[in-house]
Amino acid sequence: MKGIVFTEFLEMVEETFGLEVVDQIIEEANLESEGIYTSVGTYEFSEMLTLISNLSDKVKISINDLLYEFGKFLFNSLGQAHPEVIKSYTDPINMIQSIEDHIHVHVKKLYPDAELPTFNVLEKTDTSIITIYESSRGLYALAHGLMEQAFRHFGKDVSITYTLLQEDGTKVKFEAKQNV
């Protein structure tokens, strides 16, 4: 998993829960990397699972709720780091529709070995989009947060529902409808 995800996650933890919690979840994890991450490095996905599990235990918030909040945080961070990507869109639905053909292409240029989920658009209107998320990592709650924050970024109120098509969250149907 790309280091930028680790560095952004730890930044969110620090901003939300404090540096002491960051130190505690890293110390308790006994990580191969020793919790030393760079944004350009690549680290084992199992380390992220350990960190988020430790955080969940410490703050008594479910892993999926933490991943959802991290998705919102990550959208804002990546938007600040790469504003040119977001500026090329005028609404969240078109942005979500173009994840595969534009955004992931941009990500692959920056991080050629990144393992990205797929988003297949089933249906799109001016005010709604239905997609199928697929990823072996099952981080659908993170994707949910990213999508919700995309709508917020464009000043749109949204209702997002999802259906697990695979119990482990590796395949999920998302339905996003703008509240007009």
Side-chain angles (χ1 to χ4, degrees):
M1 180 171 248
K2 295 312 295 177
I4 190 164
V5 176
F6 286 86
T7 59
E8 292 299 324
F9 175 73
L10 293 174
E11 185 176 322
M12 181 202 75
V13 174
E14 182 178 352
E15 285 183 18
T16 307
F17 304 105
L19 187 56
E20 185 176 313
V21 172
V22 172
D23 290 341
Q24 288 172 350
I25 66 171
I26 290 172
E27 285 175 20
E28 293 168 4
N30 194 25
L31 303 167
E32 183 178 319
S33 70
E34 299 179 357
I36 301 168
Y37 303 108
T38 65
S39 61
V40 295
T42 302
Y43 307 93
E44 293 297 321
F45 179 61
S46 61
E47 288 198 14
M48 178 58 74
L49 294 178
T50 301
L51 289 171
I52 200 151
S53 178
N54 286 358
L55 179 62
S56 176
D57 291 343
K58 178 136 323 274
V59 300
K60 306 299 183 223
I61 298 172
S62 76
I63 289 173
N64 277 345
D65 286 348
L66 290 168
L67 284 169
Y68 168 76
E69 291 301 325
F70 179 50
K72 295 190 302 185
F73 182 90
L74 189 60
F75 180 91
N76 291 335
S77 295
L78 294 175
Q80 290 172 355
H82 304 283
E84 69 283 359
V85 175
I86 294 176
K87 285 181 181 175
S88 61
Y89 299 98
T90 57
D91 71 86
I93 292 174
N94 286 332
M95 181 180 204
I96 292 168
Q97 180 185 19
S98 70
I99 288 172
E100 291 298 318
D101 297 332
H102 180 243
I103 295 172
H104 280 176
V105 170
H106 186 75
V107 171
K108 282 290 198 180
K109 286 179 188 174
L110 296 171
Y111 309 104
D113 59 342
E115 289 181 43
L116 302 172
T118 60
F119 290 87
N120 296 311
V121 176
L122 299 180
E123 185 179 311
K124 175 191 164 289
T125 70
D126 288 342
T127 59
S128 67
I129 189 164
I130 300 172
T131 63
I132 301 291
Y133 158 94
E134 289 188 75
S135 171
S136 62
R137 294 183 172 154
L139 299 176
Y140 68 93
L142 177 78
H144 182 191
L146 283 163
M147 282 191 280
E148 187 167 297
Q149 197 60 32
F151 278 87
R152 285 186 182 166
H153 173 81
F154 289 101
K156 307 291 183 186
D157 187 33
V158 66
S159 295
I160 299 176
T161 58
Y162 60 86
T163 305
L164 298 180
L165 303 177
Q166 297 288 332
E167 273 188 53
D168 61 359
T170 57
K171 187 173 184 179
V172 178
K173 180 180 178 182
F174 282 99
E175 298 183 50
K177 296 179 183 175
Q178 263 180 225
N179 300 321
V180 287

